Amino acid sequence: MNVQNIARVRAFATKDGSEIRELLAHRNSCIRNQSLAEARLPPGARTAPHYHPATEEIYYILEGSGRMTIGEDAQDVGPGDAIAIPPGAVHTILCTGDSPLKFLCCCAPAYEHSDTVLLAGTKHGPGESPTDAHPRTP
């Protein structure tokens, strides 16, 4: 049985700049075709506009408030909101509140740096090289 507790999962920065704790994926469990992670953005922070050629995502907002943009559409989001992001859709999320924005990211197939394409002129996450290996849980 694979059980991961968020308190024991090491955080890392994704290419889009969010802080992620990967809960379940092929890197740390028997799961092979998807991944589940918790993402965190501090107040005022935004993920770099990006898309995933092969991966579809679901964001589920746990805490905080944000502004989700997919393509030309933007909408305010908060706790309890689930957001569908199809493969190839350019997207970004901004933390609009005074407290961190926490949300779950479900990716199918599993998240990989190599399937994240930043738009021209955007930067990868702090301290993260686009070619860095994915961390494993301790």
Side-chain angles (χ1 to χ4, degrees):
M1 179 183 306
N2 298 129
V3 177
Q4 298 288 338
N5 184 285
I6 193 73
R8 293 189 298 272
V9 176
R10 188 174 69 151
F12 68 96
T14 62
K15 283 175 68 174
D16 70 16
S18 57
E19 178 185 283
I20 295 287
R21 286 169 177 78
E22 187 168 74
L23 290 161
L24 293 171
H26 61 89
R27 288 169 281 273
N28 65 358
S29 74
C30 61
I31 298 298
R32 294 292 168 250
N33 299 311
Q34 62 181 320
S35 62
L36 178 65
E38 181 198 70
R40 299 178 186 183
L41 282 174
R46 172 191 308 267
T47 60
H50 66 286
Y51 66 94
H52 309 282
T55 301
E56 62 184 16
E57 289 186 282
I58 298 170
Y59 287 1
Y60 181 76
I61 308 299
L62 298 171
E63 297 176 14
S65 58
R67 181 97 176 143
M68 184 75 208
T69 303
I70 301 174
E72 299 296 319
D73 296 326
Q75 183 174 329
D76 291 332
V77 294
D81 288 335
I83 304 144
I85 307 166
V90 174
H91 58 283
T92 185
I93 190 165
L94 166 69
C95 178
T96 58
D98 295 331
S99 60
L101 179 63
K102 283 186 182 181
F103 54 103
L104 296 178
C105 301
C106 183
C107 298
Y111 176 83
E112 298 292 344
H113 286 319
S114 61
D115 188 48
T116 301
V117 179
L118 300 177
L119 295 191
T122 61
K123 296 181 179 181
H124 51 77
E128 187 81 14
S129 162
T131 58
D132 280 349
H134 215 290
R136 300 195 188 278
T137 49

